[in-house]
Every structure is written in structure tokens, then in C-alpha cells.
Amino acid sequence: MNNETKTAQLKQLYGYKQQLRKSPQLRRLFLELTLRCNENCLHCGSRCNDVVSEELPLNVYYSFLDKIKHDFSGRLPMLCITGGEPMLRKEFFEIVTYAHKLGFRWGMTSNATLITGEVTKKLKEAGMATISVSLDGLEETHDSFRRTRGGFKGAVEGIKNLMQGGFGNVQITTVVTKKSLPELESLFELCRKLDVDSWRVIGIEPIGRALELGELFLSRDEQFQMLDFIKRKRREGYPVTYGCSHYLGLDYEREVRDWYFLCNAGVYTASIMANGDIAACLDIERRSETIQGNILRDDFTKVWREGFKIYRTPLYTKNEECRRCEHRDFCEGGSYHSWDYDKNEQMVCLLSAGAI
């Protein structure tokens, strides 16, 4: 696709986004069931195992899901079950089975180390539609990054169990660092061997514990090296994709993922944290202005319809450099998860040599 066509489509998308902020569509609702985890990842955005995991009672989830089914009956959002490691939640299967019976489509993000053959059967019975499994490098790199001996073997075994169980939408997600960047081709061959449905490749982001790992962050050139790898594999016909993380400019938009950049936070996506806090994307820094309420005291539907103002105002309005940028209407200041809310500036801008 040539840049003229991309520019025309991006201008159409700009107009659509203006309407979307006025009439947001709840398409994905994340449920963070727990902050407990059986791994201790260096880059964890939620700082799992460093914080106490406050967890909502089972009956609160039942009542909440009943309400969502009632209030969004015309178009139920996809439930995205996450953590921590969500399967460490004692009532995990009770929650997802109840959601399935109510008619919700649901998927999960997991490290897959707890997914045995028997667990695979139970996941199928509970209606799991999709799963994204983390695999952040070859064995030594993965286990070191996740500070979990045997984590790589456990994840691969879990993926094999899922594939043998007949699941039709198994994705591997890889967070790329300086150490894992040279392993991309070998990881690609592993994904082919495992025969997963897709491989999502993203760079390490400045969130959570990763903020302390500057030495592992990709340089701007390394980011584009990763994007070139994805672009090449997609042109060869393989289901490799970049995440929704950032606006990439005309040379890469529509080349490394199926559509153009659009930060989903607060317009398509909302989240319920383990303690009941209402938020947008779970990767966004947890602070007073980003948290919109709590389902223990607030009506979620009212908050969704009347709150989330911070996410329905373009980020570029807060930063003079972004306002002057020629890509302003297409990027709109970038992603909310990589925004510095104290300095009001974007921490990751692939179009500027001055940012990560």
C-alpha cells in the first residue's frame, strides 16, 4: 500500500476517532483477578509479588457480570482475563464459567506453566476462546527475564497442551529486549514448530518494574530492526504482528499489524483491577487521575459513559512539541501507557530521536 493511500485512510480514521471519543464503544473489558504470580518478571507492569494482592469476593464478580450483561446487552464486551497469573485465583474457574454461561466471550493472558492436559479440558468446558502466552526469549533468556527456573519449559509444555486440546486461537506474545532481539529468528522457528495461530512481538515498555531496566530497552534503531523483522515475516505470509503500542509513521503503519495505530484506552477498553478499581488499559500507570472509580462503590456503566475524560482528550493537547508535530492528527500524542503524567510528555516516540 502506498503512502498516499495510507494518508487518506489515516485522515478518515482521525475523523472516526473524534466521534469515538463522544460515543465510546466498550469492546474489551479486562478483569485482573489477582496480582499473585508464580513468576517474578523483571519487566512486570503490575509489579506482581512486590505488592499485596487485594482480591474481590466471588459474589462481587457475579453481581458485576450480571450488571454488564444487562447494561451492555446489545453488544457484550469481550472479557480479557488477566493477573498476575490469573489461574492462581482460587475461584478462577467459577468466575470464567459463570461468564461463559452468561454469554460472554472470554480469553486469557497467562504464562501457561499451570496448563496441564486436564486444565486444558477444563478451559475448553469453561468456553475459553483465546489465550496469549508469554514467551520472552529462548530458554536461558526467558527464564532469566522472568526470574523463574523452568519457566520456558513450563510455558512450552502448556502451549503444547493447548494445541493438542484443539484450541483455535493460541497466541504467543514476546516482549523484546536487547538480549532477546538477536533470538527473534529462532523464536519464529519455535512458533512455527508449535503451530500457534499468531505471534505478537512488542518492545519492552517503560511501565512498572521495567522503568528500572534502562539497559534492556531497545534503542530507536533496534526498535526499527524489530519492526523490519515483523514486516518481512508478514510479507512472507506468516501471522506475526506488532502490538497496539505506538504510532509508527507511514513506512510501518499497516505493514506490521492489520490496522492503524489507535490507543484503545478508555474508548474501546476498560479494566477492573484486582481491588475493584476502574481503569482503562492495565499497563497505564496507576495513579489518582488514571483510576476512574471502584466497582465496590461506583456504578461502572455510569463511569464508562460519563468518566474516562482523561482518555477522551488527545494527549497532544498537553504537550507543545506534540502539538507542533506533523504527525499530530495520526498519533495524537501516542499511547497512554507510555505517557509521563508528571512531565506531560511521551516517553516512547519512534518518530523522534529524542525519545526511547
Side-chain angles (χ1 to χ4, degrees):
M1 183 181 296
N2 61 44
N3 286 355
E4 184 178 346
T5 300
K6 290 181 182 180
T7 299
Q9 291 181 344
L10 280 164
K11 287 180 178 178
Q12 286 183 315
L13 179 60
Y14 173 76
Y16 171 76
K17 286 186 288 188
Q18 311 318 303
Q19 294 303 312
L20 184 61
R21 291 195 184 94
K22 299 175 183 177
S23 302
Q25 304 169 20
L26 184 62
R27 295 186 178 182
R28 283 172 294 276
L29 178 58
F30 283 77
L31 300 182
E32 181 186 69
L33 300 189
T34 181
L35 287 176
R36 289 178 288 130
C37 192
N38 58 341
E39 297 189 328
N40 193 25
C41 304
L42 286 169
H43 67 304
C44 182
S46 303
R47 297 185 179 272
C48 293
N49 298 321
D50 288 346
V51 294
V52 175
S53 180
E54 303 175 58
E55 296 176 5
L56 298 172
L58 182 60
N59 68 299
V60 171
Y61 279 111
Y62 287 169
S63 297
F64 177 72
L65 291 171
D66 287 340
K67 175 176 175 51
I68 298 300
K69 179 176 174 60
H70 176 271
D71 293 353
F72 295 86
S73 59
R75 184 175 185 175
L76 292 181
M78 170 84 172
L79 298 181
C80 305
I81 309 300
T82 186
E85 170 49 54
M87 298 194 70
L88 286 178
R89 174 66 193 239
K90 181 181 176 182
E91 304 91 352
F92 170 82
F93 279 106
E94 286 90 334
I95 294 169
V96 295
T97 297
Y98 190 77
H100 178 53
K101 289 180 178 177
L102 287 178
F104 286 96
R105 189 168 179 265
W106 70 275
M108 175 171 66
T109 301
S110 172
N111 59 42
T113 60
L114 303 177
I115 299 180
T116 62
E118 185 59 34
V119 168
T120 299
K121 293 178 184 177
K122 293 180 70 176
L123 289 170
K124 197 156 216 177
E125 291 169 358
M128 186 176 75
T130 68
I131 184 168
S132 179
V133 177
S134 300
L135 211 56
D136 295 318
L138 299 179
E139 184 169 2
E140 182 179 345
T141 302
H142 176 93
D143 288 1
S144 174
F145 192 53
R146 293 185 159 257
R147 295 189 286 193
T148 306
R149 182 177 297 177
F152 178 87
K153 290 180 178 177
V156 170
E157 187 63 26
I159 292 168
K160 288 179 178 178
N161 287 329
L162 290 163
M163 298 306 296
Q164 291 169 6
F167 278 99
N169 200 337
V170 178
Q171 180 183 77
I172 287 176
T173 293
T174 298
V175 174
V176 181
T177 67
K178 286 184 181 294
K179 289 186 177 180
S180 59
L181 183 63
E183 299 176 351
L184 285 180
E185 192 63 50
S186 296
L187 283 168
F188 168 73
E189 292 300 330
L190 176 61
C191 290
R192 287 185 65 188
K193 183 178 179 181
L194 292 170
D195 197 28
V196 293
D197 299 279
S198 63
W199 182 28
R200 180 171 174 260
V201 180
I202 54 177
I204 184 172
E205 294 288 301
I207 57 176
R209 283 198 290 258
L211 287 165
E212 302 154 15
L213 300 175
E215 72 280 2
L216 290 180
F217 278 77
L218 301 177
S219 67
R220 187 170 179 270
D221 287 346
E222 287 169 332
Q223 291 268 16
F224 285 113
Q225 182 181 336
M226 176 187 69
L227 293 172
D228 284 334
F229 171 86
I230 299 170
K231 189 175 182 178
R232 183 171 67 253
K233 293 303 180 186
R234 288 175 65 87
R235 286 183 172 176
E236 293 171 1
Y238 295 106
V240 183
T241 186
Y242 181 65
C244 61
S245 299
H246 306 291
Y247 176 72
L248 306 173
L250 293 178
D251 289 342
Y252 290 93
E253 288 293 332
R254 284 299 301 273
E255 304 294 332
V256 296
R257 54 191 167 206
D258 293 340
W259 193 239
Y260 297 101
F261 169 74
L262 190 164
C263 186
N264 290 192
V267 291
Y268 283 150
T269 298
S271 302
I272 306 302
M273 297 180 183
N275 66 352
D277 280 348
I278 302 169
C281 168
L282 287 168
D283 286 340
I284 295 170
E285 183 181 356
R286 303 178 183 204
R287 48 194 291 156
S288 59
E289 64 264 49
T290 61
I291 294 172
Q292 303 297 295
N294 187 291
I295 62 171
L296 294 175
R297 62 175 184 271
D298 299 306
D299 182 307
F300 171 83
T301 306
K302 181 179 175 65
V303 172
W304 172 255
R305 291 172 179 166
E306 300 177 9
F308 287 87
K309 301 300 184 187
I310 189 174
Y311 304 110
R312 295 168 188 171
T313 304
L315 284 169
Y316 74 75
T317 61
K318 303 174 184 294
N319 181 278
E320 178 60 31
E321 184 177 355
C322 287
R323 286 198 296 270
R324 295 197 308 265
C325 179
E326 63 179 313
H327 299 275
R328 185 192 74 180
D329 291 346
F330 303 155
C331 173
E332 298 197 319
S335 295
Y336 284 85
H337 75 270
S338 56
W339 187 259
D340 186 320
Y341 291 89
D342 292 316
K343 297 180 180 178
N344 272 326
E345 63 184 25
Q346 183 56 244
M347 291 185 282
V348 181
C349 176
L350 297 182
L351 305 181
S352 168
I356 291 174

